[in-house]
Amino acid sequence: MRKFRFPLAILLILAVVGTQLSGHGVSGGRNWGLLAFEMVAIALLLMFWAFEEKQVSSREIAVIAVLSALAAVSRIPFAFLPNFQPVTFIVVVSGYVFGARAGIMVGVTAALVSNFFLGQGPWTPWQMFAWGMAGATAGLLPWFPPRFERWLMISFLFFWGYLFGWIMNLWFWAAFIRPLSWQTFLATYLVSAWLDTFHAAGNVIFYLVFGERFTKILLRFRKKLRVEEPAFPAAG
């Protein structure tokens, strides 16, 4: 953990310095695109920090790696369909079963790895952040009564289909749209509404088709990950 804190502190300092340097853009105004990128970069660093601060077993790391690879690979065959992919579904179920920490890492890693095939760019950190937050918030779902699981997951996945798009729209609006005003902000979100709807509908479809079976499989793996102390008879 100490080995991780030093580079983390250096990166945070560089991010703060970069924020100050982004005070003036090409046109003389503040470079909001660069500032937004630095903010999401800090958020990602904090996500990794939170993961490193906890003790993680090798088995849990292996499960996270497998789920991340599954989410990344499953995105590629659906690349030709606009916003219709199972990544959000896999990330949310992973966070629901294994907790917020695992959900964060599955979402962040899936975005990074899948973009090695689909194309890296300035959108990658925002996708990492959005899917990481989807996995993190899914870790709160077990607090609700189990009898609401089905409709709760459907509603949650539908909501995140839109929220993911809204996060990506914020990056696009800050980086590429001029002038920055509430009119251009509203127009940006209205234009992408149909893509966000495809994403939300796709999440629900994947859950209705694979959700219960996939959740049971992950619950079985979670049960095997638990290490129980052997019971020894009392002395004498």
Side-chain angles (χ1 to χ4, degrees):
M1 286 183 284
R2 292 180 179 179
K3 294 180 180 179
F4 185 76
R5 287 177 181 175
F6 179 74
L8 175 64
I10 296 298
L11 289 173
L12 287 175
I13 293 173
L14 292 176
V16 173
V17 173
T19 301
Q20 298 300 319
L21 294 177
S22 66
H24 297 285
V26 177
S27 60
R30 181 172 292 275
N31 191 335
W32 292 107
L34 180 58
L35 181 61
F37 174 81
E38 291 160 356
M39 291 176 63
V40 79
I42 293 174
L44 288 173
L45 288 172
L46 293 176
M47 287 182 180
F48 285 111
W49 187 21
F51 180 77
E52 289 290 332
E53 284 294 302
K54 302 293 183 178
Q55 292 184 352
V56 185
S57 66
S58 58
R59 289 183 177 182
E60 185 175 354
I61 293 176
V63 171
I64 292 174
V66 171
L67 290 173
S68 301
L70 176 63
V73 171
S74 66
R75 184 184 173 199
I76 299 174
F78 296 92
F80 67 97
L81 296 175
N83 274 24
F84 188 88
Q85 39 71 28
V87 179
T88 309
F89 157 70
I90 297 175
V91 170
V92 167
V93 176
S94 300
Y96 172 71
V97 174
F98 294 103
R101 182 176 60 187
I104 289 174
M105 297 311 299
V106 172
V108 168
T109 308
L112 180 63
V113 173
S114 62
N115 280 351
F116 280 112
F117 301 93
L118 301 177
Q120 301 284 358
W123 53 84
T124 300
W126 288 86
Q127 291 176 334
M128 294 169 64
F129 171 74
W131 271 319
M133 288 302 299
T137 52
L140 303 176
L141 296 180
W143 293 1
F144 294 88
R147 64 179 180 274
F148 298 133
E149 176 185 338
R150 180 179 176 85
W151 290 108
L152 183 64
M153 289 293 291
I154 291 175
S155 302
F156 188 82
L157 285 165
F158 187 82
F159 170 74
W160 260 104
Y162 283 97
L163 186 55
F164 182 93
W166 295 343
I167 294 174
M168 298 304 298
N169 288 343
L170 183 61
W171 158 74
F172 182 82
W173 176 74
F176 297 105
I177 303 299
R178 296 294 181 273
L180 297 179
S181 63
W182 69 268
Q183 292 93 339
T184 58
F185 180 85
L186 183 60
T188 301
Y189 279 73
L190 288 177
V191 169
S192 69
W194 67 281
L195 291 173
D196 300 335
T197 301
F198 279 159
H199 190 174
N203 293 343
V204 174
I205 292 173
F206 280 112
Y207 182 78
L208 292 177
V209 176
F210 304 105
E212 294 184 2
R213 184 177 301 178
F214 187 62
T215 303
K216 288 180 180 179
I217 293 174
L218 294 189
L219 287 172
R220 199 174 301 129
F221 274 104
R222 188 186 70 178
K223 185 177 180 180
K224 292 181 179 181
L225 287 176
R226 294 177 177 174
V227 178
E228 298 182 356
E229 296 292 336
F232 294 100

